[in-house]
Amino acid sequence: MDHHIADALSRPALVRLDSRTLCLRFETMKVASALEAVRYLLERGTIAQGDTLVDSSSGIYAHALALACHRYGLHCHIVASTTVDRTLRTQLEILGVTVEPMPASASLKLDQSRRVARVREILRDHPRHHWMRQYHDDVHYRGYRPIADLIREHADCDHLSVVGGVGTGASTGALTTFLRETAPQVELVGVQPFDSVTFGSEHVHDPEIIIAGIGSSIPFGNVDHTLYDTVHWFGFDAALSGSVALLREHAIFAGLSAGAAYLAARWEQRLDPERQVVVLAPDTGHRYVDAAYSRHAEVPMPEDLRPRQITRLADMDLPWSRMRWNRAEAPPNAVSRPIAVAS
């Protein structure tokens, strides 16, 4: 029996989609990392009950950190993206979170940079607040070890690919790091939107990008590029096609990053029919209903889509591109610099 709902939410459902495909389906994936990160920081004495934890979020991490703070008796301050909807904001407020929404921005890129700048201002004015730095502190890797153990129990790790959104780098990076402790040959396939610096797609603009949380306009210190074997970049239409297919074929209602991962996994299996894959579905599809799922009749069928295979970042293009990354270093614009707090 769990003593807090966060403990239950930290465990995903592991669903077999077919003989070669597993899906890690979370309600809110980052609960696993936030809960263990907070527990570890309390254990070390870095933070104490009654402290305030602060961070920036586009939604999933805000909910996860709020639950972890509620679980351990801490205050929570979230600088919220414009993508945080009314339903989530209401939950956060009832949980006692200080929610500071950012004003409407011309782009998600501007929204993200503004949020980080505001966090620095908060720390300047409240030096005893603790910045969780979900983008840069590898303490967020720790919560994924039990999930890697779960995968290891049910998959052939000698012929396995982990496929999922890159985001902060913690989920896919941590799972693969822990799996490679016993099976170094596990492959990691990262999923990115266009318009993201993380894997060099900032020069390709997707006018409908709303795949929140898996790309970035700023470098992330938690992304270890040398873990990734292959990268797929998706536009809105292709990602939605995958999400609709995942729901239609397997009754899994998930966000756009899960749909993109599902398409990427299908393609990787087409190239290597003997390979098993684990697809990450980090959240449900509820916040995408109006902006995405309501247009399900318009999207192409997955069978009609194929990635543009590239060998140079300059050659990528909508709606879907794929490149063997071969565990290379970060592109120049994705190199993370030391973080300085405003004074």
Side-chain angles (χ1 to χ4, degrees), residues 43-60:
E43 183 181 80
R44 292 186 60 192
T46 305
I47 60 176
Q49 284 195 348
D51 284 355
T52 297
L53 308 187
V54 61
D55 215 336
S56 156
S57 176
S58 61
I60 295 178

Side-chain angles (χ1 to χ4, degrees), residues 216-245:
S216 178
S217 63
I218 60 174
F220 284 172
N222 271 343
V223 178
D224 182 351
H225 293 74
T226 65
L227 292 173
Y228 292 82
D229 297 283
T230 302
V231 179
H232 289 249
W233 295 267
F234 285 90
F236 172 83
D237 289 340
L240 179 56
S241 173
S243 297
V244 171

